[in-house]
Amino acid sequence: MTETKSSRAFASDNWAGVHPDVLQAIADANIGHAASYGNDEWSGRAVEKVRELVGADCDVFFLFSGTAANVLGLQSIVRPYQSVICAETAHIYTSECGAPEKHTGSKLIPLPSPNGKIQTADIEAQLGYTGNEHHAQPRAVSITQSTEYGTVYSLTEIRKIADVAHKNGMSLHMDGARIFNAAVSLDCTLAATTREAGVDVLSFGGTKNGLIAGEAVVFFDRALAKDFEFRRMQGMQLSSKMRFIAAQFIALLSNDLWKQNAAHANRMAAMLGKGLASVPGVKLTQSVDSNSVFATLPASLIPKLQKEFAFHVWSKPKNEIRLVTSFDTEESDVSRFVELAAKT
Amino acid sequence: MTETKSSRAFASDNWAGVHPDVLQAIADANIGHAASYGNDEWSGRAVEKVRELVGADCDVFFLFSGTAANVLGLQSIVRPYQSVICAETAHIYTSECGAPEKHTGSKLIPLPSPNGKIQTADIEAQLGYTGNEHHAQPRAVSITQSTEYGTVYSLTEIRKIADVAHKNGMSLHMDGARIFNAAVSLDCTLAATTREAGVDVLSFGGTKNGLIAGEAVVFFDRALAKDFEFRRMQGMQLSSKMRFIAAQFIALLSNDLWKQNAAHANRMAAMLGKGLASVPGVKLTQSVDSNSVFATLPASLIPKLQKEFAFHVWSKPKNEIRLVTSFDTEESDVSRFVELAAKT
Amino acid sequence: MTETKSSRAFASDNWAGVHPDVLQAIADANIGHAASYGNDEWSGRAVEKVRELVGADCDVFFLFSGTAANVLGLQSIVRPYQSVICAETAHIYTSECGAPEKHTGSKLIPLPSPNGKIQTADIEAQLGYTGNEHHAQPRAVSITQSTEYGTVYSLTEIRKIADVAHKNGMSLHMDGARIFNAAVSLDCTLAATTREAGVDVLSFGGTKNGLIAGEAVVFFDRALAKDFEFRRMQGMQLSSKMRFIAAQFIALLSNDLWKQNAAHANRMAAMLGKGLASVPGVKLTQSVDSNSVFATLPASLIPKLQKEFAFHVWSKPKNEIRLVTSFDTEESDVSRFVELAAKT
Amino acid sequence: MTETKSSRAFASDNWAGVHPDVLQAIADANIGHAASYGNDEWSGRAVEKVRELVGADCDVFFLFSGTAANVLGLQSIVRPYQSVICAETAHIYTSECGAPEKHTGSKLIPLPSPNGKIQTADIEAQLGYTGNEHHAQPRAVSITQSTEYGTVYSLTEIRKIADVAHKNGMSLHMDGARIFNAAVSLDCTLAATTREAGVDVLSFGGTKNGLIAGEAVVFFDRALAKDFEFRRMQGMQLSSKMRFIAAQFIALLSNDLWKQNAAHANRMAAMLGKGLASVPGVKLTQSVDSNSVFATLPASLIPKLQKEFAFHVWSKPKNEIRLVTSFDTEESDVSRFVELAAKT
């Protein structure tokens, strides 16, 4: 990525800042000393807030980074001689600089995923060498919800994948960097699209929905959480002043802030998608299910749009761009972008 | 550690909150979108701020965690078949849950360090197997400034260690989680106690001096910085909204805030040490050079003090406690603690 | 694999025993004490034997295992945040239980290889993210000669791949577990199909051509050999009584034994391929370039053949089998197999 | 080590060759094809031979290297955030080039061991941070039998260590690179000094007692053996032609060959120790319990002895040498060495 503009735009939801309520929560937590490393009252309350939304029967650990949530969550499941099945478009496969392989020592097995989703038949096709010592043994399936293409697995799709995973001795990991956008898209609870659909380990992402930096790993299969406090510490993800991560999550998960933020972002993406679809020469390439829009457009249009808006050119050969909306996208941003595209 | 109290106390400088100026800087940086992953203007300015203090000829990378600063800094120096020489009391050796070994794949070689410091003769004693493939080859020396015992290496001591390291093909790493307290203690510049004393790679710690969470790795040996952006990303330490780490550093390194914070903490420790030393039955066990006080005291005193103040029992068999002061310690905290100790 | 038969057959060239000349060489080397860990005279002579065949300007290290030769050779090239491009059918990708990922910490990137070979265009397609810290950086290309499908890269094909690799800052690794069969197939020297074609690091396999256990890593890019003695030791591949691996190689590389063995195996495969191709219902699926034959055949035929001969069913859905010949395959084995296939 | 002489001498028991019976066994196993990777009849028989000597209730895996036996055995016990307690003189700590740290990702904790043995009190002193996420958690104790100093743990000593380990949730690993010499020294069965004394995982070394190359990992705690076939393969230690390792073990473990070899080596060491002890100026520094002798001697003597005999100078500052005997040491070697020492 070579984006250098810093105006409010469509580069990524991590170009957005922090929601004012979240910032206020940090300030409110800044009262004297508090026990470090999560032994403070905010951390306990934040865990309860997560449980209110995904169900009480789980273990919750906060950390700094979404990549770390994925990597350490997977590390809790797989040994180095086991493998992780994922989409060839998965963030863990394409965009974490090999962190999963480095830290778990395991192989990742990419499956075709033209729309960001994997299929159960492709998972099953990887299971031919069970018990054969020459082949890394599939032990986890990882899916992203919402996907890197902004599409959203239906509850039934997740359940089918979970069933195949469980039937074959594998656990289901979900990269939920944008789990809030997915839940809003599905109009379901966070529990419905995670635990109730069969997810065992969840990367629960706060940063892309209005936090400064705050992620969690949620274990619905609590046996896998054993010793996770050690994995987190050795994984360099234990915040000493953890109350400030916890306070952010408390704010996000209170008063439906998570839902308002995600719903707004999704609405802006829908508006953007609709607007672009009506522009001659522009073609949406993925279903706009959550907060991103993928589209091909005339090559000459890209630099013109980039003069005013930062965004990511997904595929140069195809002239395909990715536009991501966030909690602070404004309708005027959307209409201006569409207007520019149409005018040119 | 089983501290559970959260009053302002002496448990650790990471029990303190965030300095108001730092919090304000975060709020000020929250203006619309900014390029992610450090491609924002704050990150560039924060690098320049660091360079103003340690010298311009260096590479600077921000990350979340002090353990990560140590681990990734060392990983830039050593290959897995090489080793790191350090104090047996070093944080990297005792308190990072084996993170250095896990991430670098290397062996750590502990040297005696009764006052937290290592000696050049002990380093040289480890160099007998150079070139012998059966033995991990020493490639780095790591020292902590100020040390885990609150003592401070003199500039001459650092220089001697650096010379031994360099003469033997090793690089000098400094764990500067409390580098500000050390510089204030030595009444020298940050450059003097790092680059000018021969340090090659520095963990530059902000969290313990008033940030929410913010650390940096500074490479004075810039050849070692090659590809560090990949190490940081794969090391799960690349903050997407990095402007907020950068903004914290800018605040800390502006208007001598770093110096005021560290000087205050050091002054409180000196006062506390002096007060305790005058209490019958209490004996200081380490020189109070920076912001911590180590002391033995009558066994029965410990629980009484713990009723009002959280602190760490360093050695149960010896009834030795550790007291750490921070930027927000108040004189009344110190005098109350000494009073309580004297009264009992 | 579930082969359980132990008759002389077509299961693999590692089902064969040891060539009598090699066994004799071991016995001849068993004269009193010799310096351990390769500091013996046999080891020095074996290195010279390798150099006679591949050229003098290289570094040679002996080890136990072919997987280790691949893994440690690659580890000499890539750092964990870099990646290895290989065929999706490569032994390193499919059949080493994730050893490359575990030991190097790196990602392997599989390319399509319907005939066991990779194409330069597919390599180039992986180079779009150079310098982008989110993506593991391609640093090595690995090819297998002869391939896992028994096909053989022409000298021109290797050269083209080497050129693409070198032009893009990558090194070329060759898995030469069956390098002798390839050289015989190409009717060229070992130097021609390795160094002269642009290979930088070679896994030089002895076991499949008549040794008990003996492999080597050969560095044509000698800068990459730096510290390899430490990598080998830490990689658990330094034989204490190394003279016995060296003696085996000396025997294999003397009197053209390597060529005789490989030529015989290739001839047997050609005969087998020709025979099978003439059987109705049997279809060769790969070019028989070296010492293996891939063929589809009627499903009912497989169990009948398995009553007399052990071999590997490559693809159950396709009824595709793999037949491998070795230095000790006899013409009568081949004719009996073809006869059985034809009769049924 | 800089030994370069290759006469029969006292450099190490891995300078010796292979016992003739073992060589014959290899030749006898060289009859046509056999299933690879241990699925042959010799491998099954070799496992039974091991079980005859150490007890039937165990799992046995053969591999190439003693370092690998240690590393992969330990890897079966510890996760990366756990640690291994061992002697500061342990082979795993000093002489495996950091292989344990690299492969397990774990920290090794060295205990004082002036005579090669560790003490239970020192083990217990390491257990103060159980459950504290900042500290790698001790999970294994590793002892060497016989030790690197040629001393031998009594059965009672092992049992006490095993009890402390087990009581604290740790497993006991034994590096048995010279287990045969120890059993002969104790005049006990192999079962007595391993399983019956409380060992959970044993590195069972053949190479130093007359094999070309052959080691085993024996799991008395069979739960730890789960998935070891994958660890071995990924650990690059699965021999394709494993029958030849197995055949070596069958020979060694038949007809008490193991006992004769070890008893002979021990006898030669005793004779050498007794002879040297009577030489003025020579002082034995360790008890001669098995097949090595440690002694200090006048500095000028060392080069004179080295003209005729290769051996290892253990400590240059102390003029301490190590002499190791082997199955093929002859009485004349011993008497000549003592004679030379006395004459000078």
Side-chain angles (χ1 to χ4, degrees):
Chain A
M1 305 194 206
T2 54
E3 303 94 337
T4 51
K5 298 194 61 177
S6 59
S7 60
R8 188 173 62 242
F10 303 107
S12 176
D13 32 13
N14 60 30
W15 281 45
V18 52
H19 190 278
D21 293 2
V22 172
L23 198 52
Q24 187 58 47
I26 291 177
D28 293 345
N30 192 30
I31 44 168
H33 282 205
S36 53
Y37 300 118
N39 299 309
D40 61 273
E41 55 170 310
W42 293 266
S43 294
R45 278 199 284 139
V47 168
E48 289 315 310
K49 277 287 178 191
V50 175
R51 287 177 171 156
E52 281 172 26
L53 290 168
V54 300
D57 186 21
C58 64
D59 291 300
V60 180
F61 300 86
F62 299 107
L63 13 72
F64 295 113
S65 133
T67 290
N70 287 335
V71 167
L72 299 182
L74 289 169
Q75 197 188 72
S76 304
I77 304 173
V78 295
R79 297 287 82 80
Y81 52 86
Q82 297 171 328
S83 61
V84 177
I85 295 174
C86 63
E88 66 186 359
T89 52
H91 198 264
I92 58 170
Y93 189 72
T94 67
S95 305
E96 299 184 350
C97 198
E101 289 89 345
K102 167 78 165 71
H103 297 286
T104 68
S106 297
K107 179 183 280 296
L108 268 59
I109 300 178
L111 301 188
S113 53
N115 64 350
K117 305 184 194 178
I118 57 174
Q119 308 299 321
T120 53
D122 291 326
I123 297 172
E124 285 165 335
Q126 293 296 330
L127 304 175
Y129 290 103
T130 302
N132 183 322
E133 68 202 333
H134 297 274
H135 303 273
Q137 302 286 298
R139 175 67 187 84
V141 174
S142 180
I143 59 176
T144 309
Q145 176 77 324
S146 58
T147 75
E148 291 77 6
Y149 279 149
T151 54
V152 174
Y153 283 96
S154 74
L155 301 186
T156 307
E157 286 172 328
I158 301 173
R159 169 51 65 191
K160 276 186 186 163
I161 290 172
D163 286 348
V164 166
H166 296 154
K167 199 181 318 177
N168 291 285
M170 298 187 287
S171 298
L172 180 58
H173 169 262
M174 178 178 277
D175 176 352
R178 294 187 180 97
I179 186 65
F180 299 111
N181 301 287
V184 164
S185 171
L186 293 169
D187 193 18
C188 71
T189 64
L190 287 166
T193 186
T194 58
R195 167 210 299 281
E196 293 167 13
V199 172
D200 298 298
V201 181
L202 170 69
S203 294
F204 190 74
T207 310
K208 288 187 162 71
N209 201 26
L211 304 195
I212 287 182
E215 307 282 323
V217 181
V218 181
F219 289 93
F220 299 115
D221 181 343
R222 300 178 77 161
L224 294 173
K226 183 176 181 313
D227 289 343
F228 191 78
E229 60 272 31
F230 295 97
R231 294 191 189 280
R232 177 175 58 181
M233 174 62 214
Q234 193 178 46
M236 315 185 296
Q237 290 289 324
L238 180 60
S239 176
S240 58
K241 299 182 178 176
M242 201 189 289
R243 61 172 141 161
F244 295 110
I245 295 182
Q248 293 179 66
F249 266 109
I250 294 171
L252 183 68
L253 303 184
S254 297
N255 308 318
D256 276 353
L257 179 60
W258 67 269
K259 195 181 285 188
Q260 292 166 34
N261 281 357
H264 177 80
N266 286 10
R267 209 158 44 232
M268 291 300 99
M271 184 180 158
L272 183 58
K274 195 172 163 193
L276 285 177
S278 69
V279 174
V282 175
K283 190 171 176 310
L284 301 191
T285 54
Q286 297 289 348
S287 171
V288 182
D289 293 351
S290 57
N291 69 319
S292 61
V293 176
F294 286 77
T296 52
L297 64 186
S300 62
L301 195 48
I302 294 179
K304 287 174 188 163
L305 290 165
Q306 284 178 322
K307 274 192 197 144
E308 264 186 60
F309 290 93
F311 56 86
H312 185 44
V313 177
W314 193 255
S315 165
K316 278 180 200 167
K318 294 190 203 163
N319 298 313
E320 184 181 24
I321 66 171
R322 185 191 73 165
L323 305 168
V324 187
T325 56
S326 51
F327 75 89
D328 65 349
T329 303
E330 298 190 2
E331 291 203 12
S332 58
D333 301 326
V334 173
S335 50
R336 174 68 184 147
F337 190 91
V338 175
E339 184 183 284
L340 257 183
K343 193 171 72 180
T344 338
Chain B
M1 304 192 208
T2 55
E3 303 95 335
T4 53
K5 297 193 62 177
S6 59
S7 61
R8 189 174 61 240
F10 304 107
S12 177
D13 33 11
N14 59 32
W15 281 46
V18 52
H19 190 278
D21 292 3
V22 172
L23 199 52
Q24 186 58 46
I26 292 175
D28 292 346
N30 193 30
I31 45 168
H33 281 207
S36 53
Y37 301 117
N39 298 310
D40 61 90
E41 56 170 309
W42 293 266
S43 294
R45 278 199 283 138
V47 168
E48 289 316 309
K49 277 286 178 192
V50 175
R51 286 177 171 155
E52 281 173 26
L53 290 169
V54 300
D57 186 20
C58 64
D59 291 300
V60 181
F61 300 86
F62 299 107
L63 15 69
F64 296 114
S65 133
T67 290
N70 288 334
V71 167
L72 299 183
L74 289 170
Q75 195 187 73
S76 304
I77 304 172
V78 296
R79 297 285 83 78
Y81 51 87
Q82 297 171 329
S83 61
V84 177
I85 294 174
C86 63
E88 65 186 359
T89 51
H91 198 264
I92 58 170
Y93 189 71
T94 68
S95 306
E96 299 185 349
C97 199
E101 289 90 344
K102 167 77 165 73
H103 297 286
T104 68
S106 296
K107 178 183 282 296
L108 268 60
I109 299 179
L111 301 188
S113 52
N115 65 349
K117 304 184 193 177
I118 57 174
Q119 308 299 322
T120 53
D122 291 325
I123 297 172
E124 285 165 335
Q126 293 296 330
L127 305 176
Y129 291 103
T130 302
N132 182 321
E133 68 202 331
H134 297 274
H135 303 273
Q137 302 286 298
R139 175 68 187 83
V141 175
S142 180
I143 59 176
T144 310
Q145 177 78 321
S146 58
T147 75
E148 291 77 6
Y149 279 149
T151 54
V152 174
Y153 285 96
S154 73
L155 300 185
T156 309
E157 286 172 328
I158 301 173
R159 170 50 65 193
K160 278 186 187 164
I161 290 172
D163 286 348
V164 167
H166 297 154
K167 200 181 316 174
N168 291 285
M170 298 186 288
S171 298
L172 180 58
H173 169 261
M174 177 178 278
D175 177 352
R178 295 185 180 98
I179 187 65
F180 298 111
N181 301 286
V184 164
S185 171
L186 293 169
D187 193 20
C188 71
T189 63
L190 287 166
T193 187
T194 58
R195 165 210 299 282
E196 293 167 13
V199 172
D200 298 299
V201 181
L202 170 69
S203 295
F204 190 72
T207 310
K208 288 187 163 70
N209 202 25
L211 304 194
I212 288 183
E215 308 281 323
V217 181
V218 181
F219 289 92
F220 298 115
D221 181 344
R222 300 179 77 160
L224 294 172
K226 182 177 180 312
D227 287 345
F228 191 79
E229 62 271 31
F230 296 97
R231 295 191 188 279
R232 177 174 59 179
M233 175 61 213
Q234 193 179 46
M236 314 184 298
Q237 291 289 323
L238 180 60
S239 177
S240 57
K241 298 181 177 176
M242 202 189 288
R243 61 172 142 160
F244 295 111
I245 295 182
Q248 293 180 66
F249 266 108
I250 293 170
L252 183 68
L253 302 183
S254 297
N255 309 316
D256 277 350
L257 179 61
W258 67 268
K259 194 181 286 188
Q260 293 166 34
N261 281 356
H264 177 80
N266 285 10
R267 207 157 46 231
M268 292 300 99
M271 184 180 158
L272 183 59
K274 195 174 164 192
L276 284 177
S278 69
V279 175
V282 174
K283 191 171 176 306
L284 301 191
T285 54
Q286 297 289 347
S287 171
V288 181
D289 294 352
S290 57
N291 69 319
S292 60
V293 177
F294 287 76
T296 52
L297 65 184
S300 62
L301 195 50
I302 295 178
K304 286 173 190 163
L305 291 164
Q306 285 178 322
K307 275 191 197 142
E308 265 187 57
F309 289 93
F311 56 85
H312 184 43
V313 178
W314 193 255
S315 164
K316 278 180 200 171
K318 295 190 201 162
N319 298 310
E320 185 180 22
I321 66 172
R322 184 191 73 165
L323 305 169
V324 187
T325 55
S326 50
F327 75 89
D328 64 350
T329 302
E330 298 191 2
E331 291 202 12
S332 58
D333 301 326
V334 172
S335 51
R336 174 67 186 149
F337 190 91
V338 174
E339 185 183 282
L340 255 183
K343 192 170 70 179
T344 338
Chain C
M1 304 192 205
T2 54
E3 304 95 335
T4 52
K5 297 193 64 177
S6 59
S7 61
R8 188 173 62 243
F10 303 106
S12 176
D13 32 12
N14 61 30
W15 281 45
V18 51
H19 190 279
D21 291 3
V22 172
L23 198 51
Q24 187 58 47
I26 291 176
D28 293 345
N30 192 31
I31 44 168
H33 281 205
S36 52
Y37 301 117
N39 300 309
D40 61 272
E41 56 169 309
W42 293 265
S43 294
R45 278 199 284 137
V47 168
E48 289 315 310
K49 277 287 178 190
V50 175
R51 287 176 171 156
E52 281 173 24
L53 290 168
V54 300
D57 186 20
C58 64
D59 291 300
V60 181
F61 300 87
F62 299 107
L63 15 71
F64 295 115
S65 132
T67 290
N70 287 335
V71 167
L72 299 182
L74 289 170
Q75 197 186 72
S76 304
I77 304 172
V78 295
R79 298 286 82 80
Y81 51 87
Q82 297 172 328
S83 62
V84 177
I85 295 173
C86 64
E88 65 186 0
T89 52
H91 198 264
I92 57 170
Y93 189 73
T94 67
S95 305
E96 299 184 351
C97 199
E101 288 90 345
K102 168 77 166 73
H103 297 286
T104 68
S106 297
K107 179 183 281 296
L108 268 60
I109 299 178
L111 301 188
S113 53
N115 64 349
K117 304 183 194 178
I118 57 175
Q119 307 300 320
T120 54
D122 292 324
I123 297 173
E124 286 165 333
Q126 294 296 330
L127 305 175
Y129 291 103
T130 303
N132 182 322
E133 68 201 332
H134 297 273
H135 303 273
Q137 302 287 297
R139 174 68 187 85
V141 174
S142 179
I143 59 176
T144 310
Q145 178 76 321
S146 57
T147 75
E148 291 78 6
Y149 280 149
T151 55
V152 174
Y153 284 96
S154 73
L155 300 185
T156 307
E157 285 172 328
I158 301 173
R159 169 49 66 193
K160 277 185 186 163
I161 291 172
D163 286 348
V164 167
H166 296 155
K167 199 181 318 176
N168 291 285
M170 299 186 287
S171 297
L172 180 58
H173 169 262
M174 178 179 277
D175 176 352
R178 294 186 180 97
I179 186 65
F180 299 112
N181 301 287
V184 164
S185 171
L186 293 168
D187 194 19
C188 72
T189 64
L190 286 166
T193 185
T194 58
R195 166 212 298 282
E196 293 166 12
V199 172
D200 298 296
V201 180
L202 171 68
S203 295
F204 190 73
T207 310
K208 287 187 162 71
N209 202 26
L211 305 195
I212 287 183
E215 308 282 324
V217 180
V218 181
F219 289 93
F220 299 115
D221 181 343
R222 300 179 79 161
L224 295 173
K226 183 175 180 314
D227 288 343
F228 192 78
E229 60 272 32
F230 296 97
R231 294 190 188 280
R232 178 174 59 180
M233 175 63 213
Q234 193 179 45
M236 314 184 299
Q237 290 289 323
L238 180 60
S239 177
S240 58
K241 299 182 177 176
M242 202 189 289
R243 61 172 141 162
F244 295 111
I245 295 182
Q248 293 179 66
F249 266 108
I250 294 171
L252 183 68
L253 303 183
S254 298
N255 309 316
D256 277 352
L257 179 59
W258 67 269
K259 194 181 287 189
Q260 292 166 34
N261 282 355
H264 177 80
N266 286 9
R267 209 158 45 233
M268 291 299 100
M271 184 182 158
L272 183 58
K274 194 173 164 194
L276 285 178
S278 70
V279 174
V282 175
K283 189 171 176 311
L284 301 191
T285 55
Q286 297 289 348
S287 171
V288 181
D289 293 352
S290 57
N291 70 319
S292 60
V293 177
F294 287 76
T296 52
L297 64 185
S300 62
L301 195 50
I302 294 179
K304 288 174 188 162
L305 291 165
Q306 284 178 322
K307 274 191 198 145
E308 265 186 59
F309 289 94
F311 56 85
H312 184 44
V313 178
W314 194 254
S315 164
K316 278 180 201 170
K318 295 189 201 163
N319 298 311
E320 184 180 24
I321 67 172
R322 184 191 74 165
L323 305 168
V324 186
T325 56
S326 51
F327 76 88
D328 64 350
T329 303
E330 297 191 1
E331 292 203 11
S332 59
D333 302 325
V334 173
S335 51
R336 174 66 186 150
F337 190 91
V338 174
E339 184 184 285
L340 257 184
K343 193 170 71 180
T344 337
Chain D
M1 304 192 207
T2 55
E3 304 94 336
T4 52
K5 299 193 60 177
S6 59
S7 62
R8 188 172 63 240
F10 303 107
S12 176
D13 31 12
N14 61 32
W15 281 45
V18 53
H19 190 280
D21 291 4
V22 172
L23 199 51
Q24 187 58 47
I26 291 176
D28 292 346
N30 192 31
I31 45 168
H33 281 206
S36 53
Y37 300 117
N39 299 309
D40 62 272
E41 56 169 310
W42 294 266
S43 294
R45 278 199 284 138
V47 168
E48 289 314 310
K49 276 289 179 190
V50 175
R51 286 176 172 157
E52 281 173 26
L53 290 168
V54 300
D57 186 21
C58 64
D59 290 301
V60 180
F61 300 87
F62 299 107
L63 15 70
F64 295 114
S65 133
T67 290
N70 288 334
V71 167
L72 299 183
L74 288 170
Q75 196 187 72
S76 304
I77 304 173
V78 296
R79 297 288 82 79
Y81 51 88
Q82 298 172 328
S83 62
V84 177
I85 294 173
C86 64
E88 65 186 0
T89 51
H91 198 263
I92 56 169
Y93 189 72
T94 67
S95 306
E96 299 184 350
C97 199
E101 288 90 346
K102 167 78 164 71
H103 297 286
T104 68
S106 297
K107 178 182 280 296
L108 268 59
I109 299 178
L111 301 188
S113 54
N115 65 349
K117 304 184 195 178
I118 58 174
Q119 308 300 321
T120 53
D122 291 326
I123 298 172
E124 286 165 335
Q126 294 296 330
L127 305 176
Y129 290 104
T130 303
N132 182 320
E133 68 202 331
H134 297 274
H135 303 273
Q137 302 286 297
R139 175 67 187 83
V141 175
S142 180
I143 60 176
T144 310
Q145 177 79 319
S146 57
T147 75
E148 290 77 6
Y149 278 149
T151 55
V152 175
Y153 284 96
S154 73
L155 300 186
T156 308
E157 287 172 327
I158 301 172
R159 169 50 65 191
K160 277 186 187 163
I161 291 172
D163 286 348
V164 166
H166 296 154
K167 199 181 317 174
N168 292 285
M170 298 186 287
S171 298
L172 181 58
H173 169 260
M174 178 178 276
D175 176 352
R178 295 185 180 99
I179 187 64
F180 299 112
N181 301 286
V184 164
S185 172
L186 292 169
D187 193 19
C188 71
T189 63
L190 287 166
T193 187
T194 57
R195 166 210 299 282
E196 294 166 12
V199 172
D200 298 299
V201 180
L202 171 69
S203 294
F204 190 74
T207 310
K208 288 186 162 70
N209 202 25
L211 304 194
I212 287 183
E215 308 282 324
V217 181
V218 181
F219 289 93
F220 298 116
D221 180 345
R222 301 179 77 162
L224 295 172
K226 182 176 180 313
D227 287 345
F228 191 79
E229 61 271 31
F230 295 97
R231 295 190 188 280
R232 177 173 61 181
M233 176 61 213
Q234 194 179 45
M236 315 184 298
Q237 290 288 323
L238 179 61
S239 176
S240 58
K241 298 181 177 176
M242 202 190 288
R243 61 171 143 161
F244 295 111
I245 295 182
Q248 293 179 67
F249 266 108
I250 293 170
L252 183 68
L253 302 183
S254 297
N255 309 315
D256 276 351
L257 179 60
W258 67 270
K259 195 181 285 188
Q260 293 166 34
N261 281 357
H264 177 80
N266 285 9
R267 208 157 45 232
M268 291 300 99
M271 184 181 158
L272 182 59
K274 196 174 164 192
L276 284 177
S278 69
V279 174
V282 175
K283 190 170 175 310
L284 301 191
T285 54
Q286 296 289 347
S287 171
V288 181
D289 294 352
S290 57
N291 69 319
S292 61
V293 177
F294 287 76
T296 53
L297 65 184
S300 62
L301 196 49
I302 294 178
K304 287 174 189 163
L305 290 164
Q306 284 178 322
K307 275 191 197 144
E308 263 185 59
F309 289 94
F311 57 85
H312 185 44
V313 177
W314 194 254
S315 164
K316 278 180 201 170
K318 296 191 201 162
N319 298 311
E320 185 180 23
I321 67 171
R322 184 192 73 164
L323 305 168
V324 186
T325 55
S326 51
F327 75 89
D328 65 349
T329 303
E330 298 192 1
E331 291 202 11
S332 58
D333 302 326
V334 172
S335 51
R336 175 66 186 148
F337 190 91
V338 174
E339 185 182 282
L340 256 183
K343 193 170 68 179
T344 339

